[in-house]
Amino acid sequence: MDPSNGIALYVQLADLWRYNIVSHKWPGGHRLDNFDLLAAEYKVARITVRQAVARLVQEGLLSTQRGRGTYVLPRAEGSSAEPPRISASSWPERLEIELLFNEPASDVPAEFRGAFEVFSAYREITKLHHLNGVPFAMVRVFVAEPIYRRFPRRAIESQKLLRLTLKHGKRAAEQMHQRMTIELADIVVAQHLHCGIGSPVAKILRQTYGTDRRLSYAGLAWYRGDAFEMDITLPRALVEDSSPALIAPGARGRKSVDKDT
């Protein structure tokens, strides 16, 4: 519990207890101590404990009843409070796309653009990916307008934008650069992914470009940390060439940026 990190104490407490539940440290039926004991144990006010419990009750993880106390709810057969893990390259059959935003854009933000050149116009698209009704990824993408126009009608509602760009971008999408970082969810990401503010999220930047180094696709994806895994097989030559970038991002050279990752 860190009162100086800008995250409300009740949110920190709820995040800690949520982890105890989804990691099975607290199994279904586990009874929490009374609020006074919990407040003393975690060195917080009683109201902080009440707020944290209320948050997890709303999420369907805890139940509190007068005279009985607060319990971890048992999970239904075949279900789990923890969302299924999704690979960054997988495309599950039951995945659903929720389109949040789709409008023309005259420029690409610096965080997406990096050191690359740009087209004169882009299409900005934001969407959520759901599996079994649970959001596990939020994606914000800029696609060069000439390439976007080649996409089949309504294709963005059922297909990955990256795959559409690689298929229809031709020479404008000959290479891809990818960078992953682990960050803490801000209020926007937390609200969309239904996770706690400050929860870990995997953030992936993907950029495709051609020999002219113009961005045909630039996208940021935020994955819930408890629903993400990355499983990649790489040829030895690529591993040997890119290992310095994998070990020390600050040592990444121009050559590694230009290679597929």
Side-chain angles (χ1 to χ4, degrees):
M1 305 294 293
D2 182 2
S4 65
N5 68 1
I7 301 173
L9 287 178
Y10 82 91
V11 174
Q12 296 184 49
L13 196 57
D15 289 345
L16 173 61
W17 291 347
R18 185 187 300 105
Y19 173 81
N20 288 346
I21 295 170
V22 300
S23 66
H24 305 286
K25 182 178 180 179
W26 289 355
H30 172 81
R31 185 178 187 276
L32 277 68
D33 291 330
N34 67 52
F35 289 3
D36 290 329
L37 290 176
L38 289 171
E41 178 181 354
Y42 292 96
K43 298 179 175 59
V44 296
R46 195 173 189 275
I47 185 62
T48 300
V49 173
R50 291 179 62 86
Q51 290 173 319
V53 168
R55 188 182 184 94
L56 297 182
V57 168
Q58 186 177 22
E59 294 179 14
L61 299 178
L62 293 179
S63 174
T64 182
Q65 299 178 21
R66 185 181 296 274
R68 293 195 59 206
T70 302
Y71 290 84
V72 175
L73 286 173
R75 301 173 194 174
E77 188 68 25
S79 68
S80 170
E82 182 178 8
R85 290 190 172 271
I86 306 297
S87 169
S89 59
S90 66
W91 192 248
E93 293 181 0
R94 300 184 303 280
L95 184 140
E96 298 177 355
I97 293 176
E98 179 185 355
L99 194 61
L100 302 180
F101 185 84
N102 181 10
E103 295 290 343
S106 59
D107 198 8
V108 179
E111 185 178 13
F112 293 77
R113 178 174 179 171
F116 293 100
E117 301 297 327
V118 294
F119 285 78
S120 59
Y122 284 82
R123 177 67 57 150
E124 180 182 354
I125 301 168
T126 303
K127 58 181 181 171
L128 288 176
H129 291 172
H130 300 262
L131 185 63
N132 298 329
V134 178
F136 69 88
M138 182 176 78
V139 184
R140 185 184 177 199
V141 172
F142 290 83
V143 180
E145 188 68 33
I147 297 172
Y148 175 80
R149 294 197 197 105
R150 300 175 193 158
F151 292 176
R153 185 173 179 269
R154 304 191 68 174
I156 65 173
E157 299 176 12
S158 60
Q159 300 182 48
K160 281 189 173 182
L161 295 170
L162 178 58
R163 291 183 182 178
L164 288 169
T165 302
L166 294 173
K167 181 177 181 180
H168 299 282
K170 299 181 180 179
R171 294 183 180 179
E174 290 184 335
Q175 297 193 69
M176 186 179 80
H177 170 233
Q178 176 172 291
R179 182 175 73 245
M180 184 180 78
T181 55
I182 304 300
E183 300 184 0
L184 302 180
D186 60 22
I187 188 170
V188 175
V189 172
Q191 288 176 345
H192 281 96
L193 297 186
H194 297 181
C195 62
I197 299 173
S199 299
V201 292
K203 179 180 176 181
I204 298 182
L205 170 67
R206 297 184 179 97
Q207 300 158 311
T208 64
Y209 55 98
T211 55
D212 59 1
R213 293 188 59 80
R214 285 196 302 172
L215 280 176
S216 51
Y217 171 105
L220 278 173
W222 294 265
Y223 294 85
R224 286 180 53 147
D226 59 351
F228 174 83
E229 64 181 24
M230 180 167 284
D231 188 354
I232 299 177
T233 301
L234 299 173
R236 174 177 178 141
L238 180 58
V239 172
E240 291 177 340
D241 184 64
S242 63
S243 57
L246 295 174
I247 297 171
R252 183 187 292 111
R254 180 64 171 268
K255 183 177 180 180
S256 66
V257 172
D258 288 345
K259 294 190 72 66
D260 290 349
T261 52

